[in-house]
Amino acid sequence: MTFEDMFAQVKGLLAQADASGIGERLAYQFNITGEAQGTFYLEVKDGALRVEPYDYHDRDALFTCSAETLFKIASGQTDPVAAVFLGKLKVEGSIDKALKLKSLLPSK
């Protein structure tokens, strides 16, 4: 799988998120390791969500994981907090803001 394929799939999954209830700005960068290696960002601003394939230097949190882990988190199959404890997701930056990612994701 290429980065472009992975990004298109993840963007489609995340585009379904309802950010209308989030009043603050959240900026996350995702560094994908292994197959489909690359970087993209997710930003919530004024209740709207954007996902773009670029570095985001003014970010609140940086997430590092494999594409497989990201798909499981974005689809609601894996809790991001559990992924951190299992060593599948690394988080740097504001933990408070990083935890708000859960409110954008489906839960199962």
Side-chain angles (χ1 to χ4, degrees), residues 9-69:
Q9 289 180 31
V10 168
K11 187 172 183 174
L13 288 169
L14 294 173
Q16 300 171 27
D18 180 12
S20 62
I22 299 175
E24 66 185 302
R25 178 187 160 276
L26 300 174
Y28 304 128
Q29 179 171 316
F30 292 83
N31 289 346
I32 306 306
T33 60
E35 184 181 2
Q37 179 177 342
T39 299
F40 71 93
Y41 75 86
L42 180 154
E43 179 184 46
V44 175
K45 185 176 179 182
D46 300 324
L49 183 134
R50 291 182 38 214
V51 182
E52 298 296 335
Y54 309 110
D55 287 347
Y56 201 101
H57 298 286
D58 188 24
R59 61 186 173 252
D60 298 311
L62 170 68
F63 299 98
T64 303
C65 64
S66 68
E68 178 184 0
T69 297

Side-chain angles (χ1 to χ4, degrees), residues 65-84:
C65 64
S66 68
E68 178 184 0
T69 297
L70 182 60
F71 284 132
K72 289 179 179 179
I73 291 170
S75 65
Q77 295 176 6
T78 297
D79 180 87
V81 175
V84 169

